[in-house]
């Protein structure tokens, strides 16, 4: 007799496993992959308390509501197409009818179970998201758009009106029309829940297509496409090797956009906040973010090995004592690379951006410690602020910072009330920019030495009192202590394309001559975004350091 057969029957039930496939049958027992159930809901019902559900590849038009049971949900692995849970339902073509008095707009009563808001965020035509417009007149004049009215929450309906691409007739054009019908792809409320290897499509809920309302969640190897306010959200825990890709087209109904969110009202010191090897591609607001309700704080937030492309602000942390970012890469962002109210550590990371207003770090709290080491950047700014700005104590070591843009820019900015207590300690760096330092205090709060400074016109300089410009020689004598006495003014002689994340130096570079070891010693190279997005569009997990060709370079 097998040992398992001597266990009480209730112990079997508490750890039950179920298999699900789009080709299964809910009359199957679901206990093996050769007798899978057809729906996730049937598998959930078959697990009394705790257990796991394994999904085969394919499309699931249902909500995995795991609340009340501790059920782990996983796919068949990352080498095959991920099983996709969508919040969309297909609209039967024949159910459309031409709107009275209109030539190109068709309407249908679309059934749904949406409860999160009076919003219908997604309507697709042959897999292409249609643009929301405010009223019927705009819809009639805009091919590829939709509008709606008479929205009823819950198990209700909405009067949906569509102007198809090409002004075709949806009753007979043979296209597939889909619209938001459910709140979530996955929702759970038990601690230690694990979600692994699935694809969640269309975050109809503002909380995300995946929402885990409990501690110590682990979300691994997942793809999230088409976000609204959030792509996904957990209370505390880990996102590991996850990708957030695409957002609902911009419209006035959604006031903020954040891809990955870890939020907890009453945070504890033991709560984990970890993003590891995750990717965000196109976020209309913040990329990676964690915060509380303001009445408590997380002890630490860690972002490691993550990539962010085309975000307004890639990394941010609120109500958190310590923020650590290492071996991360950001490209084409349009605000501060990162912000936080606690101590910040930024190491072995790279940021490149051709977008205006691409700053690096904003420190908001007097005495906040900002430690930056082996960080490399090539960015453009366009206002009177610089790469590093704020009220903190900045320790900058072995960084390569290249900045171009408006004549008013500076790499280090100590000016005005918000930066009245800022202190900068800068050593062993390669600094390229029109203005290296900006200060209203004659350098009293700068400690800088053993740096290479350069500008494309050969004339790097310092701004004093907001307007006056001085060269490096005069800068040496301004402060209470000597500034940049051992620094040099010279072309760093880059050997690679820094706009593509290659910060290598020619062997004859003065930054590494005569036993110097200045500038970043490690950096992240640019991934092949087109190769990655092609894989994501096909429903596969693909990461920058494997399929994308990006790597950590060590000098």
């Amino acid at each position: 007799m097998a040992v398992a057969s001597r266990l009480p029957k209730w112990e079997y039930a508490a750890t039950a496993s179920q298999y699900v496939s789009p080709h299964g049958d809910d009359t199957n027992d679901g206990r093996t992959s050769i007798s899978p159930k057809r729906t996730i809901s049937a598998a959930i019902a078959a697990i009394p308390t705790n257990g796991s559900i394994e999904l085969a590849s394919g499309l699931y038009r249902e909500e995995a509501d795991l609340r009340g049971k501790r059920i782990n949900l996983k796919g068949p692995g990352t080498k095959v197409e991920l099983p996709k849970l969508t919040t969309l339902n297909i609209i039967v073509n024949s159910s459309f009818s031409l709107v009275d008095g209109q030539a190109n707009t068709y309407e249908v009563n679309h059934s749904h179970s949406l409860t999160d808001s009076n919003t219908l965020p997604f309507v697709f035509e042959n897999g292409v998201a249609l643009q929301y417009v405010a009223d019927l007149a705009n819809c009639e004049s805009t091919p590829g758009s939709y509008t709606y009215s008479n929205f009823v929450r819950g198990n209700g309906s909405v009067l949906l009106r569509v102007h198809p691409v090409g002004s075709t007739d949806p009753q007979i054009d043979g296209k597939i029309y889909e619209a938001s019908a459910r709140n979530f792809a996955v929702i759970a409320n038990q601690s230690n829940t694990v979600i692994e290897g699935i694809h969640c499509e269309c975050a109809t809920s503002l909380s995300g297509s995946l929402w885990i309302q409990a501690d110590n969640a682990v979300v691994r190897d997942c793809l999230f496409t088409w976000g609204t306010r959030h792509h996904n959200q957990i209370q505390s825990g880990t996102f590991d090797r996850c990708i957030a890709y695409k957002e609902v087209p911009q419209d006035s109904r959604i006031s903020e956009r954040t891809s990955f969110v870890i939020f907890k009202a009453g945070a504890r010191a033991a709560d984990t906040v970890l993003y590891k090897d995750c990717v965000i591609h196109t976020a209309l607001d913040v990329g990676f973010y964690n915060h509380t309700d303001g009445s408590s704080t997380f002890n630490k937030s860690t972002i490691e090995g993550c990539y962010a492309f085309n975000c307004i602000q890639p990394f941010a942390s609120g109500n958190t004592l310590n923020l650590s970012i290492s071996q991360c890469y950001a490209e084409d962002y349009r605000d501060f690379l990162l912000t936080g109210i606690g101590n910040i550590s930024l190491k072995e990371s790279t940021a490149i951006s051709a977008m205006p207003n691409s700053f690096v770090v904003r420190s908001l709290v007097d005495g906040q410690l900002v430690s930056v080491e082996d960080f490399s950047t090539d960015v453009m700014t366009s206002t009177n602020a610089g790469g590093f700005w704020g009220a903190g104590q900045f320790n900058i070591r072995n960084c390569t910072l290249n900045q171009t843009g408006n004549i008013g820019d500076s790499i280090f900015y100590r000016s005005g009330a918000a930066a009245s207590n800022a202190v900068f300690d800068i050593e062993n760096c390669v600094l390229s920019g029109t203005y290296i330092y900006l200060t209203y205090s004659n350098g009293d709060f700068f400690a800088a030495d053993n740096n290479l400074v350069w500008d494309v016109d050969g004339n790097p300089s310092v701004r004093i009192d907001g307007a006056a410009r001085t060269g490096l020689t005069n800068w040496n004598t301004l402060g209470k202590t000597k500034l940049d006495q051992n620094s040099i003014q010279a072309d760093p002689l880059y050997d690679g394309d820094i706009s593509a994340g290659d910060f290598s130096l020619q062997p004859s570079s003065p930054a590494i001559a005569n036993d110097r070891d200045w500038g970043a010693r490690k950096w992240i190279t640019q991934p092949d975004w087109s190769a990655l997005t092609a894989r994501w569009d096909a429903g596969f997990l693909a990461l920058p350091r494997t399929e994308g060709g990006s790597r950590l370079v060590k000098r």
Side-chain angles (χ1 to χ4, degrees):
M1 179 182 294
V3 174
S5 66
R6 296 196 295 267
L7 295 175
K9 290 183 178 180
W10 64 264
E11 193 161 346
Y12 276 123
T15 58
S17 295
Q18 286 284 301
Y19 293 82
V20 180
S21 168
H23 307 292
D25 191 314
D26 283 346
T27 62
N28 291 338
D29 60 22
R31 294 180 181 176
T32 69
S33 59
I34 61 174
S35 60
K37 291 190 178 297
R38 170 68 180 83
T39 64
I40 300 170
S41 57
I44 294 172
I47 300 175
T49 308
N50 302 329
S52 63
I53 296 174
E54 184 167 323
L55 304 178
S57 296
L59 178 63
Y60 299 86
R61 294 187 185 274
E62 60 174 317
E63 183 175 273
D65 188 347
L66 309 178
R67 288 174 294 184
K69 302 178 180 181
R70 205 192 76 73
I71 296 176
N72 295 332
L73 188 66
K74 64 179 182 178
T78 59
K79 302 299 183 183
V80 297
E81 182 179 351
L82 301 180
K84 180 165 71 174
L85 282 68
T86 183
T87 64
L88 306 175
N89 272 354
I90 291 178
I91 301 171
V92 177
N93 294 67
S94 60
S95 62
F96 282 101
S97 61
L98 186 66
V99 178
D100 288 343
Q102 307 300 313
N104 299 298
T105 304
Y106 295 79
E107 64 185 11
V108 61
N109 278 306
H110 172 60
S111 299
H112 64 82
S113 58
L114 306 177
T115 60
D116 199 36
S117 67
N118 293 329
T119 301
L120 188 72
F122 294 105
V123 177
F124 285 82
E125 176 186 318
N126 276 353
V128 177
L130 300 183
Q131 176 66 51
Y132 168 76
V133 293
D135 51 42
L136 177 59
N138 280 302
C139 191
E140 176 65 18
S141 63
T142 309
S145 68
Y146 76 97
T147 191
Y148 55 89
S149 62
N150 303 335
F151 191 103
V152 179
R153 288 194 186 196
N155 293 319
S157 64
V158 60
L159 181 61
L160 171 63
R161 287 168 169 165
V162 173
H163 183 166
V165 175
S167 300
T168 58
D169 181 350
Q171 301 171 102
I172 59 173
D173 61 12
K175 298 176 183 177
I176 297 174
Y177 293 87
E178 301 168 282
S180 300
R182 288 169 292 280
N183 292 312
F184 304 97
V186 179
I187 184 169
N189 64 356
Q190 299 297 302
S191 297
N192 304 304
T193 294
V194 178
I195 308 297
E196 183 175 3
I198 64 172
H199 176 184
C200 297
E201 179 187 63
C202 295
T204 298
S205 167
L206 298 181
S207 297
S209 56
L210 174 142
W211 190 17
I212 301 179
Q213 307 161 310
D215 290 332
N216 301 321
V218 176
V219 184
R220 180 186 298 118
D221 292 337
C222 290
L223 173 63
F224 301 94
T225 53
W226 296 108
T228 50
R229 189 176 74 177
H230 303 321
H231 272 280
N232 48 68
Q233 182 177 181
I234 64 175
Q235 187 167 287
S236 71
T238 300
F239 282 102
D240 181 16
R241 293 166 49 95
C242 292
I243 296 154
Y245 175 48
K246 297 182 180 178
E247 286 190 338
V248 61
Q250 182 72 58
D251 64 62
S252 60
R253 298 169 300 163
I254 301 171
S255 59
E256 59 182 86
R257 314 290 186 94
T258 305
S259 297
F260 285 95
V261 178
I262 297 178
F263 168 79
K264 185 175 181 181
R268 305 166 301 171
D271 287 327
T272 299
V273 179
L274 173 61
Y275 296 104
K276 188 175 188 301
D277 297 329
C278 295
V279 185
I280 294 170
H281 190 288
T282 306
L284 298 176
D285 205 328
V286 179
F288 298 95
Y289 186 45
N290 71 276
H291 68 114
T292 72
D293 62 353
S295 65
S296 59
T297 57
F298 286 113
N299 180 56
K300 185 177 182 180
S301 172
T302 301
I303 305 174
E304 178 183 328
C306 294
Y307 287 69
F309 175 81
N310 192 26
C311 300
I312 289 184
Q313 185 177 121
F315 310 109
S317 180
N319 319 116
T320 302
L321 298 179
N322 299 281
L323 170 61
S324 174
I325 298 177
S326 63
Q327 295 192 12
C328 291
Y329 175 94
E331 182 178 343
D332 283 354
Y333 58 96
R334 299 176 297 285
D335 200 338
F336 287 90
L337 173 72
L338 64 96
T339 60
I341 64 169
N343 296 328
I344 295 174
S345 173
L346 174 62
K347 293 184 177 180
E348 299 177 5
S349 297
T350 296
I352 60 175
S353 182
M355 308 298 290
N357 303 311
S358 304
F359 312 127
V360 180
V361 175
R362 175 172 60 179
S363 164
L364 303 174
V365 181
D366 287 349
Q368 179 180 1
L369 180 62
V370 181
S371 300
V372 184
E373 183 176 356
D374 281 312
F375 174 69
S376 51
T377 181
D378 178 49
V379 299
M380 180 180 77
T381 68
S382 62
T383 58
N384 284 331
F388 295 84
W389 177 86
Q393 299 180 25
F394 292 81
N395 295 325
I396 316 292
R397 298 288 185 274
N398 283 100
C399 294
T400 298
L401 309 174
N402 186 73
Q403 184 165 297
T404 59
N406 187 284
I407 194 68
D409 303 331
S410 63
I411 297 177
F412 302 103
Y413 179 86
R414 186 191 184 281
S415 160
S420 59
N421 293 317
V423 177
F424 289 93
D425 186 352
I426 306 148
E427 294 186 21
N428 301 333
C429 294
V430 173
L431 310 172
S432 303
T434 303
Y435 290 139
I436 306 301
Y437 312 104
L438 185 152
T439 180
Y440 281 96
S441 56
N442 289 341
D444 291 355
F445 294 90
F446 282 90
D449 206 359
N450 295 309
N451 301 305
L452 183 151
V453 296
W454 180 247
D455 186 45
V456 291
D457 65 2
N459 188 31
S461 58
V462 179
R463 288 184 67 201
I464 304 297
D465 295 330
R469 178 173 180 172
T470 183
L472 184 65
T473 301
N474 292 334
W475 171 248
N476 290 342
T477 60
L478 287 175
K480 293 179 180 179
T481 58
K482 301 296 184 181
L483 297 167
D484 282 310
Q485 291 296 297
N486 298 297
S487 297
I488 59 175
Q489 181 174 315
D491 187 336
L493 299 178
Y494 293 115
D495 196 34
D497 180 2
I498 59 175
S499 67
D502 184 353
F503 291 85
S504 57
L505 299 171
Q506 298 177 27
S508 57
S509 168
I512 54 177
N514 301 319
D515 295 323
R516 298 188 187 104
D517 192 21
W518 297 354
R521 298 158 298 187
K522 299 178 183 179
W523 57 88
I524 311 292
T525 61
Q526 184 180 44
D528 184 344
W529 292 113
S530 61
L532 291 171
T533 56
R535 294 288 288 170
W536 302 335
D537 284 334
F540 290 85
L541 192 78
L543 297 169
R545 297 199 192 183
T546 51
E547 292 86 349
S550 179
R551 61 193 180 97
L552 173 68
V553 175
K554 299 179 181 180
R555 189 169 73 194

mmCIF file of all heavy atoms in Angstrom, residues 121 209 235 249 277 451 476 501 518 521:
data_model
loop_
_atom_site.group_PDB
_atom_site.id
_atom_site.type_symbol
_atom_site.label_atom_id
_atom_site.label_comp_id
_atom_site.label_asym_id
_atom_site.label_seq_id
_atom_site.Cartn_x
_atom_site.Cartn_y
_atom_site.Cartn_z
ATOM 1 N N PRO A 121 -12.932 50.168 -20.768
ATOM 2 C CA PRO A 121 -11.637 50.631 -21.264
ATOM 3 C C PRO A 121 -11.177 50.023 -22.575
ATOM 4 O O PRO A 121 -10.338 50.611 -23.258
ATOM 5 C CB PRO A 121 -10.675 50.258 -20.134
ATOM 6 C CG PRO A 121 -11.332 49.115 -19.444
ATOM 7 C CD PRO A 121 -12.805 49.339 -19.567
ATOM 8 N N SER A 209 -5.058 43.739 -14.083
ATOM 9 C CA SER A 209 -5.640 42.472 -14.520
ATOM 10 C C SER A 209 -5.345 41.365 -13.519
ATOM 11 O O SER A 209 -6.044 40.352 -13.475
ATOM 12 C CB SER A 209 -5.107 42.085 -15.901
ATOM 13 O OG SER A 209 -3.699 42.021 -15.905
ATOM 14 N N GLN A 235 -0.084 43.135 -2.569
ATOM 15 C CA GLN A 235 -0.011 43.851 -1.294
ATOM 16 C C GLN A 235 1.411 43.884 -0.752
ATOM 17 O O GLN A 235 1.872 44.901 -0.245
ATOM 18 C CB GLN A 235 -0.955 43.193 -0.288
ATOM 19 C CG GLN A 235 -1.100 43.945 1.019
ATOM 20 C CD GLN A 235 -2.272 43.434 1.830
ATOM 21 O OE1 GLN A 235 -3.424 43.681 1.506
ATOM 22 N NE2 GLN A 235 -1.983 42.673 2.881
ATOM 23 N N PRO A 249 -5.159 53.030 -25.033
ATOM 24 C CA PRO A 249 -4.857 54.324 -25.649
ATOM 25 C C PRO A 249 -5.247 55.483 -24.742
ATOM 26 O O PRO A 249 -6.220 55.415 -24.007
ATOM 27 C CB PRO A 249 -5.707 54.293 -26.929
ATOM 28 C CG PRO A 249 -5.875 52.845 -27.239
ATOM 29 C CD PRO A 249 -5.953 52.157 -25.908
ATOM 30 N N ASP A 277 14.326 41.339 -12.274
ATOM 31 C CA ASP A 277 14.391 40.946 -13.688
ATOM 32 C C ASP A 277 13.063 41.147 -14.412
ATOM 33 O O ASP A 277 12.654 40.344 -15.253
ATOM 34 C CB ASP A 277 14.832 39.480 -13.818
ATOM 35 C CG ASP A 277 16.229 39.236 -13.277
ATOM 36 O OD1 ASP A 277 17.060 40.158 -13.344
ATOM 37 O OD2 ASP A 277 16.488 38.137 -12.752
ATOM 38 N N ASN A 451 37.951 63.906 -10.889
ATOM 39 C CA ASN A 451 36.929 63.744 -11.913
ATOM 40 C C ASN A 451 37.457 64.230 -13.255
ATOM 41 O O ASN A 451 38.314 65.111 -13.315
ATOM 42 C CB ASN A 451 35.675 64.549 -11.556
ATOM 43 C CG ASN A 451 35.069 64.138 -10.238
ATOM 44 O OD1 ASN A 451 34.758 62.977 -10.020
ATOM 45 N ND2 ASN A 451 34.894 65.101 -9.329
ATOM 46 N N ASN A 476 37.895 75.887 -8.843
ATOM 47 C CA ASN A 476 38.808 75.315 -7.855
ATOM 48 C C ASN A 476 38.916 76.151 -6.589
ATOM 49 O O ASN A 476 39.183 75.628 -5.506
ATOM 50 C CB ASN A 476 40.216 75.179 -8.444
ATOM 51 C CG ASN A 476 40.285 74.100 -9.501
ATOM 52 O OD1 ASN A 476 39.427 73.254 -9.568
ATOM 53 N ND2 ASN A 476 41.313 74.152 -10.336
ATOM 54 N N GLY A 501 23.882 52.834 -24.995
ATOM 55 C CA GLY A 501 24.248 52.169 -23.756
ATOM 56 C C GLY A 501 25.632 51.558 -23.746
ATOM 57 O O GLY A 501 25.923 50.725 -22.879
ATOM 58 N N TRP A 518 38.539 56.027 -13.414
ATOM 59 C CA TRP A 518 37.417 56.945 -13.310
ATOM 60 C C TRP A 518 36.291 56.537 -14.248
ATOM 61 O O TRP A 518 36.501 55.873 -15.268
ATOM 62 C CB TRP A 518 37.865 58.369 -13.643
ATOM 63 C CG TRP A 518 38.893 58.927 -12.698
ATOM 64 C CD1 TRP A 518 39.358 58.363 -11.554
ATOM 65 C CD2 TRP A 518 39.591 60.167 -12.847
ATOM 66 N NE1 TRP A 518 40.286 59.162 -10.957
ATOM 67 C CE2 TRP A 518 40.466 60.287 -11.724
ATOM 68 C CE3 TRP A 518 39.577 61.188 -13.791
ATOM 69 C CZ2 TRP A 518 41.293 61.382 -11.551
ATOM 70 C CZ3 TRP A 518 40.402 62.282 -13.613
ATOM 71 C CH2 TRP A 518 41.247 62.384 -12.495
ATOM 72 N N ARG A 521 32.440 51.553 -14.164
ATOM 73 C CA ARG A 521 33.181 50.321 -14.454
ATOM 74 C C ARG A 521 32.256 49.197 -14.901
ATOM 75 O O ARG A 521 32.707 48.156 -15.374
ATOM 76 C CB ARG A 521 33.964 49.890 -13.212
ATOM 77 C CG ARG A 521 35.003 50.909 -12.766
ATOM 78 C CD ARG A 521 35.392 50.759 -11.325
ATOM 79 N NE ARG A 521 34.251 50.976 -10.435
ATOM 80 C CZ ARG A 521 34.344 51.032 -9.102
ATOM 81 N NH1 ARG A 521 35.533 50.903 -8.520
ATOM 82 N NH2 ARG A 521 33.276 51.223 -8.355
#
